[in-house]
Amino acid sequence: MSEADEKSGPPNWSLSPKAVRLFILGGSLDKKRQIRPKYFGSQRLIEMVIATLATDRALMLMGVPGTAKTWLSELLSAAISGHSRYLVQGTSGVHEEALTYGWDYAQLIAKGPSEEALIPSPVMRAMQDGAIARVEEMTRMPSDVQDALITVLSEKSLPIPELNREVQARQGFNLIATANDRDTGVHELSSALRRRFNIIRMPLPEDRDQEVEIVRHRLTEHPSGFEFDVNQDTIKEIERLVTVFRELRSGQTEDGKTQLRTPSSTLSTAEAISVMRGGLSLAMHFGKGEIRAEDLAAGIRSAVVRDPSDDPGIWEEYLESVLSNRKGWEDLYEACKSLQ
Amino acid sequence: MSHAQLHIFGIRHHGPGSARRLEEALLELEPELLCIESPKHAQDLIDSMDPGQLSPPVAVLSYPPKHPDKGSFLPLASFSPEYIAWQYAHARGIPMRCIDLPFQISRAEEQHQLPLFTEQQAVDRNEPDPFDQLAELAGFSETETWWDNFLEREQMPAGQVFPLISSLMHSMRPDPLENKSRLEEKREAHMRLELREACKEAGKVAVVCGAWHVPALEQTFDCTIKEDRERLKGSRKQKVQSVFIPWTYERLTRWSGYGAGISSPSWYEYLYKQGDDALVNWLADAAQFLRSEGYDCSPASVVEAVRFARMLAGMRDFKRAGLKELEDATLTVLCEGKQSRFDSVYAALIVGDAVGDVPEQETEVPLRKDFNQRAKQAGLSRYIGKRESKERTLDLRKEKHLFASHLLHQCALLGIEWGRRLEAPERALGSFHERWQLDWDPAIELNIISAGTYGSTLPQAASNRILEEYRSGKIALKVLASILHRSLQADLNRIIPFLGRKLQSAVAADQDVLEILAGLSELIYARRYSSVRGFDTDMLDEVIDYATPRLATGLADALRGTDEEEARDTGRQITALGHALPLLGKESLAGEWLLALERILETRQIPAYLRGVAAHLLFQEERLSPQDLARTLAFIFARKEHPEESARWLEGFLRENATLLRMHPQLFRIIDRWIKQMPQEQFTDVLPLLRRTFSFLNGRERELLMERIKTGHQTEATKGKEEAKTGSGSSIPEEYLELIDQILK
């Protein structure tokens, strides 16, 4: 692609911004070659994401699980820097070294603070290369660790007082962070750090078919290698499941005729996938191998009902006012009803 | 081709790019006469006015005096090319002609009512919009985006842009004289005839018209006068009056006078006034606005936002950042990706909250005429201008009285404070009577004029005002219910469906049971009113049937932990609903409601006052027998350690009804005994509460009750004497009796 790319991008970018967009969303490269779309979503969002990386601000992708935050950040990094290796995985146990630098203690004891004893973090390497660094689940890191990024992002330099020098970021360096905004037990970004990010909210899939496709895709191609055989019947169940989730999430039925109350649960695409996985496993190991409404009902209920005070009522209301009257859904209604 | 004398400038209505280019072109051309595509009936109004006296946005409201409800609005903003042309003509002292077909022919034959503010103005062309096709060809999904890109973003000089527009339009209209709509044909014929006249008067004539009309007007001297007169045949004349009224940017987004509205008036004003600097200035103002709202938005972020917007524009193959890039940069860089923050910036700086102003004019606003006419029809004319207040009782079964009632309700909704309802609305509902007090204040004249900006008849203006006020945002159920009820009373049937939809979504969305409690009784009265007046009640029934069970199941839980102060308000609402629900005559709903009341009565965590209210309602509905009630009372008053609680319970129970005490001696005795047995210091503590409890009694009731206490005391006393002989029993100290006397006084 970079051969065909005629326009120039920001320094150290392997593709121009427009070519990055093409790489992600797909389209025709030239008269002969087609690029496969890798992310399904709005062009506007992708443009905003790319434009952010070309400015001084870092990029924060925020959204519920299942909105392809990680996938998009990998794609961006690959398109801009040619690879997506510089990754820090955020957990509550992460220390500042993961974002700045650490020491090889054997060397440190032998030689004292020296270049040889220094172990650069992925962020520091990205700075030296002028590449994209990625931080996953940023808000899981303790706030004081997060704040180590402030100087990196605002001054584009990382001081190493022990060696009395600093690492200056080469042009092209930037950072993509991802975070989940519905989870509990997260550490909010400090306002100083927040100012250094453009925060882009990742939307849930726009229409039902797209969401069904994502669920199907994730059931058949799973990195763990534990794959399911997805046949027509299973797709029908995915459709029903996704419909229920979407209706409860948006607060109205798909035909827009009935208003619904929304439960406190997220009902993200990722949850739909896990309910489907649960259902399929049940069917495979304990049932007849064919997925049926009963295999899903419990999973759906436990995904919907999170807060014991309001959610049960909301779910019951939904069962009675929507599912009970829907043609062809009698089995699902009965299965859910029997759990009440 | 164009005649040597005629210089035709095709513009985009309300397009700031067109306005700037037009300004440029006029300075270059120096015409001796200007023609604009505005209806001819506005000519006198425009001639009589100096554009400098108006502060846009304003609109020309035109209407036939006989039918004020069939008028038209023609909005003008400071960046409208027509307004620029007018300013130019006025400054240079050259004549300006309004050449479009006057109202009397065009609209009168269509006989349509002036649409409400939510309805988009009917577009003159029934065919698919040719501009949509053009936009699609250029690869844009919306026409507005195409215009925006073509005229507002690309800053081509005037010398290029106007010929380009003309040739584009020619390619879209291969036969310029042909028109799909008869009305369009007439309008263009009219404009050509006017242009011929204009050319007789002056050497250099500049014509400002919508881009679409350019090819047709360039044919002015290529078709004969006879042909054009033929095209105009069948039009009839009608008297029309015009007046300038203030307009708002918010309205301009829905109503531009030419088909759909324009989405970003305030941004257009920046574009018109600042051209290339608009982006930077706008973003700086947006940052300032966000800071004034208390958000963190540093000057450095403005720089980031500008770079971001330009970067985006580059990626999208535009030379300059336009509205879309502006929006994206604001949302992402300035608002931290938060939609709610962006929405407030959008309302303040992209749409804008500008409101226009107009000087006093000779023609009075049509609403004033309509007001007089309706007052006459309602038989209320003689009260106009009278300072002393008059009372009127209206019998709604009489047509004239009903009309008067509608009129007064409409006035109230418009803030024209002429009549005041005397009874509390719920009491009057049982009957067909309404009592009003009419008071004429000179300020009413001003109220009418300012209400005139909403429309030219009272029902229309009242509807528009409600629409504008409640169109967006979340509105409490109670407010909606009350507006709906008032709209029904004011006979505003055109907005009932709108309010119904709002109501349905409010009920579905509102998770708060107390909100429903606050609004439901009003809804029931509204339903009752509409059934009495023979309106369709299905929509209201649906909402009530949905809301009542939700309320009934959740009420007792929701009331736990209400504090004593709130309890009084809530108690009022519960009582109101208790009176309203039976009016529906629906057994099942009433049943659920009584169950809810029973739950309230039994829940100890609910304030005593509310439990008292519930007991009262249950007793009234005979759900609680006198024996049960006596038991409950005895139980409540047996708890001697908390006399305040018992007093509050009593207060809730007795609300407005001392007759209960007189009718049921058993109740009376329990309460009497409770008071008597109270130790002195406790009694002094609850005394203020008791006073409040009995404060609603009128003189006669007080006397009756006092008598009752005295006789009660005497019997007790005689009993006491008898018992005294046996050495037991008690008697009430005399000073208590005095105190009780005090309570009741």
Side-chain angles (χ1 to χ4, degrees), chain B residues 476-657:
Chain B
L477 185 66
K478 183 182 170 187
V479 177
L480 265 178
S482 137
I483 288 294
L484 179 78
H485 191 188
R486 292 171 72 192
S487 303
L488 284 166
Q489 288 173 321
D491 197 27
L492 306 179
N493 44 29
R494 281 172 82 187
I495 56 163
I496 300 301
F498 160 79
L499 290 172
R501 280 194 302 278
K502 274 256 159 198
L503 202 61
Q504 276 167 330
S505 56
V507 171
D510 227 320
Q511 312 272 353
D512 189 354
V513 171
L514 294 179
E515 278 286 332
I516 299 181
L517 174 68
L520 192 58
S521 53
E522 186 83 34
L523 267 184
I524 293 172
Y525 289 123
R527 188 212 168 269
R528 189 168 154 79
Y529 186 90
S530 44
S531 79
V532 168
R533 304 247 37 92
F535 296 136
D536 187 12
T537 59
D538 286 358
M539 179 269 299
L540 276 171
D541 278 335
E542 203 176 296
V543 175
I544 293 170
D545 289 349
Y546 178 72
T548 314
R550 277 241 328 258
L551 173 73
T553 33
L555 188 58
D557 281 337
L559 291 178
R560 278 167 201 260
T562 317
D563 70 39
E564 288 292 340
E565 281 313 302
E566 292 169 61
R568 243 150 264 286
D569 263 347
T570 315
R572 249 189 301 280
Q573 289 164 357
I574 293 178
T575 313
L577 192 55
H579 291 307
L581 257 169
L583 297 177
L584 282 175
K586 287 190 184 168
E587 286 294 323
S588 61
L589 292 186
E592 291 193 50
W593 169 244
L594 291 176
L595 278 176
L597 289 177
E598 280 172 354
R599 258 197 305 268
I600 295 175
L601 185 62
E602 289 154 12
T603 311
R604 290 279 294 277
Q605 291 89 335
I606 295 177
Y609 179 82
L610 292 177
R611 280 182 278 146
V613 170
H616 180 116
L617 289 169
L618 284 166
F619 186 66
Q620 227 176 18
E621 292 293 321
E622 295 174 8
R623 184 72 165 231
L624 207 58
S625 66
Q627 290 77 20
D628 286 342
L629 180 62
R631 236 192 326 275
T632 315
L633 270 175
F635 178 71
I636 296 289
F637 292 120
R639 302 187 53 202
K640 293 202 179 61
E641 64 277 23
H642 294 299
E644 313 88 37
E645 203 185 315
S646 314
R648 289 220 164 86
W649 198 99
L650 186 63
E651 193 189 353
F653 178 73
L654 283 183
R655 272 187 52 118
E656 304 168 38
N657 211 337

Side-chain angles (χ1 to χ4, degrees), chain A residues 311-322:
Chain A
D311 292 349
I314 293 171
W315 172 237
E316 174 137 24
E317 220 173 271
Y318 178 76
L319 275 184
E320 294 307 326
S321 60
V322 181

Side-chain angles (χ1 to χ4, degrees), chain A residues 33-206:
Chain A
R33 286 171 290 179
Q34 281 286 325
I35 302 290
R36 189 170 58 91
K38 296 168 196 68
Y39 171 80
F40 301 89
S42 90
Q43 176 169 338
R44 174 171 167 249
L45 179 106
I46 296 300
E47 285 168 348
M48 297 200 329
V49 162
I50 300 170
T52 298
L53 290 174
T55 61
D56 271 351
R57 286 218 190 178
L59 173 67
M60 165 71 83
L61 298 175
M62 188 94 89
V64 297
T67 43
K69 298 181 293 288
T70 306
W71 177 231
L72 182 59
S73 85
E74 268 179 43
L75 286 175
L76 284 165
S77 169
I80 294 170
S81 311
H83 63 86
S84 52
R85 284 198 301 273
Y86 297 141
L87 169 70
V88 179
Q89 186 70 42
T91 66
S92 49
V94 164
H95 292 283
E96 217 179 297
E97 291 95 79
L99 295 177
T100 53
Y101 52 85
W103 298 100
D104 176 342
Y105 287 100
Q107 295 273 5
L108 190 65
I109 292 165
K111 297 182 185 165
S114 63
E115 290 292 340
E116 293 79 48
L118 192 78
I119 304 172
S121 70
V123 176
M124 188 166 152
R125 284 176 200 275
M127 290 174 78
Q128 286 164 333
D129 284 7
I132 301 285
R134 298 193 293 132
V135 180
E136 285 285 310
E137 300 291 349
M138 172 93 158
T139 47
R140 300 216 161 271
M141 288 195 252
S143 298
D144 46 335
V145 177
Q146 292 174 13
D147 283 352
L149 284 174
I150 293 180
T151 334
V152 172
L153 292 180
S154 59
E155 311 296 328
K156 301 280 186 257
S157 76
L158 179 62
I160 310 172
E162 292 88 343
L163 299 181
N164 195 21
R165 72 173 188 98
E166 58 179 23
V167 176
Q168 283 287 347
R170 285 179 64 201
Q171 281 192 311
F173 164 73
N174 211 332
L175 188 133
I176 306 175
T178 62
N180 181 338
D181 56 354
R182 282 284 287 264
D183 272 0
T184 48
V186 298
H187 306 277
E188 282 281 333
L189 257 58
S190 66
S191 63
L193 190 56
R194 192 182 279 273
R195 268 202 299 279
R196 274 126 188 134
F197 278 101
N198 274 352
I199 297 165
I200 307 244
R201 263 157 230 283
M202 299 290 289
L204 284 158
E206 269 172 46

